[in-house]
Amino acid sequence: MPESKEQSRLAGSQSFRPDIEGLRAIAVLGVVAFHFGLNQLPGGFAGVDIFFVISGYLITSHLQNEIAKRGTVDLWRFYARRARRLLPASLLVILITLLVGYFVLSPSEQQLYSKGALYASAYVINLWLIRWSLDYFAPDAADNPFIHFWSLSVEEQFYLAWPALLLLFAWLRPGKRGLAIQMGLVAAVSFAACAWLTTVSQPWAFYFSPFRAWEFAAGGLISLAVAQPWAREFRASPVLGWAGLVLIAVAYLTLSEEGAFPGIAALLPVVGTAIVILAGARQVATGPNRWLGNPVFQWVGKLSYSLYLWHWPVIVYATILKPELTLADRLGCLLLTFALSMLTYHLVENPIRRNGWLTARSRRSLGFAAMLTAMGVTVAYGSAGLAGSHVDSQQLFIQKSAERKSAAREAGSSCVSTLEIDEPVACELGDGKSQTTVVLFGDSHADHWSSPLAKIAREKGWRLVTYLKGACPAARVTVWSATMKRKFDECDRWRETAMRKIISLDPALVVVSQFSHHYVENDIEDNAYHPLDVGTWVEGVKSSLDTLRNAGIEVVLLRDVPLHKLDVSRCVQRALWQERGAAVCDTPRSQALDDRVYEAEKAAAAEMGIPYVDTSGMFCDDRKCSSMIDGRLTYRDRQHIAAPYAESLAPSLERAVFPRLEAREVRR
């Protein structure tokens, strides 16, 4: 992340740049504000992109200066400096985060996040997170206290590759203009790939280093420009600097996690930062340089690396301990973050970075770095093993209940289509030779009903056919994909094909279920992306149901299940670990169900003469929706029914859904 003042002095004009220190402050304050829930800065996460450009500028400046003087780069000295700067503080945060996690997290979470600590210690956590992000059924990343190390991993990987690339450029001797062209080509190829992948597979564009290289290269290109005399004599530099700051402000105010990022949107913070650095080359204490050089920004910039390291585990653990943080709570977390950062800076960062014994020889620093890395990996591995030994029978029961797959997912990995798939896959459960076919149609909120429906089908001798796709409603509406950061066109294609295939089956009954709370404006779901108004949703529901009904098919629509405030499985496991009752994980009924969506769907179904089944009584009484019922875990997360509990609902579901079908069976 942020570089040291020592590094700044080596860059460009060989003097410290207060404006860059101020940019570090803007970068880290944006990230902290975003993660601490300051809604006025929805694009604060772009502060990481500011750091990337700054690093590209400083590192390229330093390496090019050394190449110009010596014709080569002392790579061992370069890596030794980086190791002294970055590793001690990061290891301290990793170790303390693991220690605190022992008391805050359940043993199964400790096991999982110890893997994150291991990958963070080895600076490859970004690669682990790519796989995590692409898994629809992966745990929510919001509770991962090590996820912010992804940017440090990207930066460390840049430090490994960039010096070698600059040495290659030097060996080719292209001249100043040729060097700029070569670096520009690297930036252009990386940016083009990043922009394309952002629309196709956003996690790869976000986490994978080669697709972030263009941001570092932008800083490198600016370092070549700053080295030119015209940059230090450009009289309109204050205007240019203000323009760059405006671009950064626009990024902070207009970008959001709902949009496609990085891609083209990342040009705002990247170009803005590059312009500010270029404008500051003149080093005149007026305009933006003076503003960025104010004492508050200088102090925050100095602490920026430690602030970045500490802020995320502080807010993650605080939110776990108290899910509904007040403004006072968040301010307290901010003060704690600054206190930890100051201690880390003065007791770890500076002393180790300037330690005379370590700086005397590069191999000492590199050996020290290897020791720190090995320590982080070893402790993380040991932490996972220790956590595993604390998983008692109760913990294991909850864990296994949450991990058990639905009947459809047990039938095959393709039975719940992944996001990029637009061709429906039919999976058969029950009696495949039966003359009575029941179809289950919808998203993952239909999938969790496959367990009780499969049990009913087996007992009745029916054939159950599933058409399921994650995050894709049966309602004929275009929704937004939170993972792909764009309109979910694959869902629209999948839905139409699925309905044609369902009609061709001529089933006796189609059961429709979907995550209504996620797609429709309501007071329950806080994490909905581009939610639809109730009217649009209801028209989409009616359109799909009408298509099936007009084909002479009987349809039953299920009310969406309650939506808990917390991940139920994790909450119950934490409660058991902390010797508290599972009731602390219950959600008030008024906060788990939105009656507006219910009433609108119910009215639409009644208008069409289609049965509408209210399933809320299977989870809630008049006051609350329970986390445990009859000794069973009700949900595997916030929104999906745990498979064992779902299967236990077979008798209730049979009575609610199949009376007319059973009557026909009796007459036959």
Side-chain angles (χ1 to χ4, degrees):
M1 294 306 298
E3 294 295 323
S4 63
K5 288 186 178 183
E6 170 194 0
Q7 194 67 32
S8 294
R9 291 190 185 96
L10 289 168
S13 62
Q14 300 294 316
S15 62
F16 171 64
R17 293 272 302 264
D19 58 322
I20 291 180
E21 194 83 319
L23 276 174
R24 291 194 191 96
I26 290 176
V28 77
L29 289 175
V31 173
V32 172
F34 173 73
H35 285 150
F36 275 48
L38 184 63
N39 296 329
Q40 289 79 4
L41 291 180
F45 57 83
V48 170
D49 302 87
I50 297 175
F51 280 135
F52 286 168
V53 178
I54 292 173
S55 292
Y57 167 75
L58 293 175
I59 294 301
T60 304
S61 298
H62 167 55
L63 294 174
Q64 283 300 115
N65 286 338
E66 188 171 351
I67 289 172
K69 291 176 182 178
R70 302 176 61 242
T72 188
V73 171
D74 186 341
L75 291 176
W76 300 121
R77 184 166 173 265
F78 170 77
Y79 292 131
R81 187 184 295 116
R82 300 276 53 72
R84 291 196 308 272
R85 165 71 174 130
L86 300 174
L87 266 62
S90 66
L91 179 64
L92 174 68
V93 173
I94 288 170
L95 295 180
I96 292 181
T97 301
L98 283 172
L99 177 63
V100 176
Y102 176 84
F103 301 98
V104 176
L105 303 170
S106 69
S108 63
E109 288 178 301
Q110 294 172 38
Q111 282 184 299
L112 174 64
Y113 296 137
S114 291
K115 292 182 182 179
L118 188 152
Y119 290 122
S121 298
Y123 287 95
V124 291
I125 194 172
N126 59 319
L127 304 179
W128 184 54
L129 290 171
I130 291 172
R131 180 180 177 183
W132 181 310
S133 300
L134 291 172
D135 183 357
Y136 179 78
F137 295 101
D140 187 0
D143 287 345
N144 184 343
F146 300 102
I147 194 172
H148 64 313
F149 276 86
W150 75 268
S151 61
L152 300 177
S153 297
V154 168
E155 195 150 333
E156 285 295 314
Q157 291 156 23
F158 163 74
Y159 293 151
L160 288 175
W162 196 245
L165 193 61
L166 291 182
L167 284 173
L168 174 62
F169 290 161
W171 179 75
L172 294 173
R173 296 183 180 180
K176 293 180 179 179
R177 180 174 297 179
L179 177 61
I181 292 173
Q182 290 173 336
M183 203 174 292
L185 284 173
V186 171
V189 171
S190 173
F191 173 72
C194 177
W196 174 70
L197 270 172
T198 299
T199 64
V200 176
S201 185
Q202 188 264 352
W204 278 97
F206 193 91
Y207 289 121
F208 197 43
S209 302
F211 306 132
R212 289 289 193 148
W214 67 276
E215 302 184 39
F216 296 97
L221 287 168
I222 291 300
S223 75
L224 301 181
V226 167
Q228 302 304 311
W230 64 264
R232 293 188 290 274
E233 298 169 3
F234 187 57
R235 296 191 177 278
S237 59
V239 176
L240 194 64
W242 286 122
L245 289 172
V246 166
L247 288 178
I248 293 173
V250 170
Y252 277 13
L253 294 170
T254 63
L255 297 179
S256 77
E257 59 182 334
E258 296 181 15
F261 194 88
I264 295 174
L267 285 171
L268 276 172
V270 170
V271 173
T273 304
I275 289 175
V276 173
I277 294 174
L278 179 61
R282 197 175 175 210
Q283 299 194 38
V284 178
T286 59
N289 280 8
R290 184 174 182 179
W291 184 71
L292 290 169
N294 75 76
V296 174
F297 276 5
Q298 295 302 293
W299 180 67
V300 174
K302 179 177 66 175
L303 297 176
S304 57
Y305 179 52
S306 289
L307 284 170
Y308 183 84
L309 288 174
W310 281 115
H311 85 282
W312 182 244
V314 166
I315 196 65
V316 165
Y317 285 158
T319 304
I320 288 174
L321 293 172
K322 187 180 180 183
E324 301 293 336
L325 292 176
T326 64
L327 177 59
D329 296 329
R330 294 178 190 276
L331 289 175
C333 290
L334 186 62
L335 290 175
L336 177 59
T337 299
F338 269 95
L340 292 170
S341 300
M342 290 172 63
L343 288 172
T344 303
Y345 179 79
H346 290 293
L347 300 180
V348 178
E349 276 193 68
N350 264 359
I352 294 179
R353 185 174 62 197
R354 296 172 179 172
N355 181 276
W357 186 82
L358 289 174
T359 57
R361 293 189 178 182
S362 297
R363 61 185 176 185
R364 290 177 181 174
S365 293
L366 293 173
F368 181 63
M371 182 188 71
L372 292 180
T373 300
M375 182 186 300
V377 169
T378 302
V379 171
Y381 185 82
S383 173
L386 178 64
S389 69
H390 290 143
V391 179
D392 59 21
S393 58
Q394 282 186 302
Q395 294 276 347
L396 187 61
F397 172 74
I398 299 300
Q399 186 177 336
K400 294 297 184 183
S401 295
E403 290 176 351
R404 181 175 155 187
K405 295 179 180 180
S406 67
R409 290 170 60 207
E410 281 186 336
S413 58
S414 62
C415 289
V416 181
S417 297
T418 53
L419 299 179
E420 69 279 5
I421 300 298
D422 58 9
E423 182 62 31
V425 175
C427 289
E428 291 191 5
L429 303 166
D431 184 355
K433 298 178 181 179
S434 175
Q435 298 300 308
T436 301
T437 299
V438 175
V439 170
L440 176 62
F441 176 41
D443 54 19
S444 62
H445 279 220
D447 167 50
H448 56 205
W449 291 114
S450 66
S451 295
L453 289 174
K455 183 178 180 181
I456 295 168
R458 288 194 301 270
E459 292 174 351
K460 297 292 183 180
W462 297 340
R463 179 174 68 145
L464 175 66
V465 180
T466 64
Y467 284 95
L468 306 167
K469 181 174 174 64
C472 180
R476 195 175 260 135
V477 291
T478 298
V479 296
W480 185 266
S481 171
T483 301
M484 295 182 169
K485 308 293 184 184
R486 59 174 173 81
K487 287 184 177 180
F488 200 2
D489 297 325
E490 292 88 344
C491 173
D492 292 341
R493 295 192 294 269
W494 178 91
R495 182 190 307 114
E496 297 306 315
T497 306
M499 284 198 288
R500 287 196 296 270
K501 290 189 174 185
I502 291 171
I503 291 170
S504 69
L505 287 175
D506 190 24
L509 180 70
V510 175
V511 179
V512 176
S513 181
Q514 50 205 342
F515 189 8
S516 304
H517 285 123
H518 183 69
Y519 307 120
V520 191
E521 292 175 347
N522 62 84
D523 298 326
I524 302 303
E525 172 62 293
D526 298 326
N527 300 318
Y529 289 86
H530 300 269
L532 304 165
D533 62 83
V534 175
T536 301
W537 171 254
V538 168
E539 288 304 313
V541 172
K542 290 168 66 176
S543 177
S544 291
L545 298 184
D546 210 37
T547 297
L548 297 173
R549 189 185 62 168
N550 289 341
I553 298 171
E554 185 176 338
V555 183
V556 171
L557 177 62
L558 303 185
R559 180 184 185 179
D560 193 14
V561 296
L563 180 64
H564 281 269
K565 287 295 182 183
L566 301 171
D567 183 310
V568 175
S569 168
R570 291 188 188 187
C571 182
V572 171
Q573 290 181 76
R574 289 172 193 157
L576 292 172
W577 175 241
Q578 297 160 7
E579 298 183 346
R580 299 183 295 159
V584 299
C585 304
D586 297 346
T587 300
R589 182 184 176 98
S590 61
Q591 298 178 25
L593 290 162
D594 190 295
D595 287 334
R596 292 177 304 167
V597 178
Y598 164 65
E599 294 295 343
E601 289 183 341
K602 182 180 178 182
E607 178 186 330
M608 302 176 71
I610 288 175
Y612 185 68
V613 176
D614 182 358
T615 61
S616 62
M618 301 176 187
F619 310 93
C620 312
D621 57 25
D622 293 338
R623 297 182 300 104
K624 69 181 185 308
C625 298
S626 300
S627 57
M628 299 283 291
I629 295 178
D630 296 332
R632 294 186 178 93
L633 179 74
T634 56
Y635 277 52
R636 62 178 172 84
D637 49 26
R638 289 182 63 215
Q639 49 166 307
H640 297 104
I641 314 170
Y645 183 70
E647 194 170 64
S648 75
L649 297 175
S652 299
L653 194 66
E654 181 182 344
R655 288 192 297 270
V657 173
F658 296 110
R660 286 195 283 185
L661 178 57
E662 289 181 324
R664 289 209 309 266
E665 289 285 303
V666 170
R667 287 196 298 270
R668 284 170 53 187

